[in-house]
Amino acid sequence: MTRATVLRTAGGFSVRLRPRPVAVGVACALVALVVAVFAIGGGDYPMSPAAVVRTLLGQGTPADTFIVEQVRLPRVLTALLAGGALALSGAAFQALARNPLGSPDLLGFTQGAAAGALTVIVVIGGGGFVLAGGAVAGGLVTGAVIYLLAWRDGLHGNRLILVGIGVYAILTGINGYLLTRANIPDAARAILWLTGTLDGRGWGDLAPLLAVMVVVVPVVLLGCARGLRILEMGDDAATALGVRVDAVRLALLAAAVLLSALAAAATGPVAFVALTSPQLARRLTRDPGPNLLPSLCMGAALLVTADLAAQRLIPGHQLPVGVVTGVLGGAYLVGLLAARRRAGRL
């Protein structure tokens, strides 16, 4: 385990930084930014990376400024923020469940957000803030149901996963029923959204996710990271060290549900980013802790790279980003299960 550096402020607040996780987080953030520049520069109106940077700094031509600010930048920022939100949510769930399969994709939380958003699409026909509100409501209701069903003298990992998988199956049926009740245009729109897509994303789709991340991410990274790391030692040890176990779990669960729900509202329920990002971050940092910041940066890099690949893999045709993440994430999940089987843990 790498030695931590403690930074203290004048107000007595301290942050523990481990060199390797910080380096991994910075490297992933740089990769995400580089890919974002290339993504902004691609398309029917190509721009060089230098032109993209000049335009982002306010020195571009009127045509470049319009293309960047109104067409491409909202999509890229949505990919970065949604990827980071999904990854941070996945890292929190995996740490709470103490299981690498703990992810909002597999535990039903994303499906709950999808049910709320589908209700808005099918019944109301709304979008933007209304769609985000439906996704958040669906995610929060699902989170409350799973929490109540899984709670018994504490929230334990295996019980949380089993209950979540059951709720996932129920919500999959509900979402299928909602699709059968929609008219053809709304059903087509809903199916594309359920696949996970960044096509046509604007500033209105980005705003709710950005507003929540500005509040929730600092709370998770600065307020809950220490308690989450100590929780991995066990409830008794955490209680002995002064951690309010139930309060930390409830706060992290609420934050993770909000992040996954808002990410789903912005992009649709993009598969496997929340599952794979924390595991890849942990492999790179070689740190047994929750790796919240490296996971966030890894998720941003993964989703913006997957979206760039979805736009370029088939010339003249754009794939939904959820197709790319689903194929790659599914392959990763099969490999993870095979590795756990070989290790005798499955």
Side-chain angles (χ1 to χ4, degrees):
M1 184 181 295
T2 55
R3 180 174 298 177
T5 300
V6 180
L7 300 180
R8 292 184 172 87
T9 65
F13 182 78
S14 64
V15 179
R16 295 173 63 87
L17 300 177
R18 299 179 183 275
R20 188 179 180 95
V22 170
V24 169
V26 171
C28 290
L30 290 175
V31 169
L33 291 177
V34 170
V35 174
V37 169
F38 280 97
I40 293 172
D44 295 333
Y45 183 87
M47 299 172 60
S48 67
V52 171
V53 173
R54 284 197 303 270
T55 304
L56 290 175
L57 294 176
Q59 301 174 1
T61 65
D64 289 349
T65 300
F66 174 79
I67 291 296
V68 170
E69 293 184 357
Q70 301 302 320
V71 179
R72 296 176 181 168
L73 184 59
R75 175 174 184 152
V76 171
L77 286 179
T78 301
L80 292 171
L81 291 178
L86 287 170
L88 185 58
S89 174
F93 277 124
Q94 289 177 17
L96 287 173
R98 301 175 195 169
N99 191 311
L101 297 179
S103 166
D105 306 283
L106 304 179
L107 300 184
F109 295 96
T110 303
Q111 285 294 101
L118 275 178
T119 302
V120 171
I121 293 174
V122 173
V123 178
I124 303 176
F129 284 94
V130 179
L131 182 66
V136 171
L140 289 176
V141 170
T142 303
V145 170
I146 292 176
Y147 184 84
L148 292 174
L149 292 176
W151 175 267
R152 191 178 65 188
D153 298 327
L155 191 66
H156 300 288
N158 290 336
R159 192 183 306 127
L160 175 64
I161 289 177
L162 291 174
V163 171
I165 291 174
V167 171
Y168 173 91
I170 294 172
L171 288 171
T172 299
I174 293 174
N175 291 344
Y177 172 76
L178 288 173
L179 287 175
T180 66
R181 302 297 299 174
N183 56 44
I184 292 177
D186 286 341
R189 176 186 171 204
I191 289 173
L192 180 61
W193 183 85
L194 284 172
T195 304
T197 180
L198 288 159
D199 188 34
R201 292 301 180 266
W203 293 109
D205 301 295
L206 175 65
L209 176 59
L210 177 61
V212 169
M213 288 191 72
V214 167
V215 177
V216 173
V217 171
V219 171
V220 174
L221 295 182
L222 300 178
C224 299
R226 177 181 175 273
L228 185 58
R229 178 179 288 274
I230 296 175
L231 274 176
E232 293 188 330
M233 301 167 57
D235 290 1
D236 293 338
T239 301
L241 291 172
V243 175
R244 299 174 60 188
V245 174
D246 293 339
V248 170
R249 280 205 179 105
L250 185 58
L252 280 169
L253 183 62
V257 169
L258 276 175
L259 290 173
S260 61
L262 265 298
T267 66
V270 176
F272 290 113
V273 173
L275 176 69
T276 58
S277 299
Q279 294 302 310
L280 293 175
R282 178 170 291 193
R283 289 176 182 274
L284 291 175
T285 62
R286 301 175 187 172
D287 189 349
N291 290 290
L292 297 177
L293 182 59
S295 297
L296 185 151
C297 297
M298 176 66 75
L302 280 180
L303 191 55
V304 74
T305 302
D307 186 47
L308 180 61
Q311 297 178 62
R312 307 291 175 82
L313 281 176
I314 302 177
H317 181 74
Q318 292 189 22
L319 294 172
V321 68
V323 173
V324 177
T325 61
V327 171
L328 297 179
Y332 176 84
L333 178 59
V334 171
L336 177 63
L337 293 173
R340 289 176 68 83
R341 181 182 178 85
R342 286 194 300 269
R345 291 182 290 173
L346 187 66

